[in-house]
Amino acid sequence: MENLNKNDNKTIDKSKIKLDFKDSKYATGKRKRSIAKVWVKKGSGNIYVNGIKMIDYFKRPVHQIIVTRPLEISKVLNSYDVKCKVKGGGLSGQAGAIIHGLSRALVIHEENLKKGLKKEKLITRNSRVVERKKYGHRKARRSFQFSKR
């Protein structure tokens, strides 16, 4: 009988890459429910998220622009290699956590980049999180439909 496994024809190689970040600076970034561990070192501008290239991890161009924003503001886009480990939350929260961690790591690596990054409010943690649902309500603030009778 014929083998019905259709995945044999498609071999997509998204294997995790081992990276050497021994002489690097480390910082942690947070946003919503996401936490990012970020390592930065001098290099050629490669960005890896969870062992995968950033372009493969974040498919939407908006997220790709967001992640590279601290490097573009400080004008060092092609002079640092970045390695990130992100967990929790969704893709937007993860991108925000990477921005925060990357900005902090750049400041640790080069103190003179702090002025430009602080002006764009990338070093400060964005403390907005989802408000919890209250009892007697449908959502955090939305009530059930009122019925007169």
Side-chain angles (χ1 to χ4, degrees), residues 46-107:
N46 296 324
I47 302 174
Y48 295 97
V49 180
N50 292 346
I52 304 168
K53 280 212 171 255
M54 185 261 302
I55 295 167
D56 296 330
Y57 190 83
F58 292 112
K59 300 288 186 191
R60 294 183 67 197
V62 173
H63 294 143
Q64 294 171 10
I65 292 166
I66 288 171
V67 169
T68 57
R69 192 161 165 237
L71 296 168
E72 288 173 359
I73 288 169
S74 51
K75 297 179 179 85
V76 290
L77 188 61
N78 294 326
S79 50
Y80 285 102
D81 284 342
V82 180
K83 174 184 147 186
C84 310
K85 284 188 179 177
V86 190
K87 61 181 179 180
L91 289 176
S92 294
Q94 288 183 352
I98 290 171
I99 282 180
H100 185 225
L102 180 56
S103 301
R104 289 174 67 184
L106 284 171
V107 168

Side-chain angles (χ1 to χ4, degrees), residues 107 110-116:
V107 168
E110 282 188 49
E111 191 66 34
N112 59 347
L113 299 176
K114 185 174 183 175
K115 189 176 180 183

Side-chain angles (χ1 to χ4, degrees), residues 132-144:
R132 80 170 197 85
K133 182 193 177 300
K134 278 75 169 188
Y135 62 89
H137 288 266
R138 202 169 80 187
K139 294 168 79 176
R141 298 186 180 201
R142 172 84 163 90
S143 298
F144 295 111

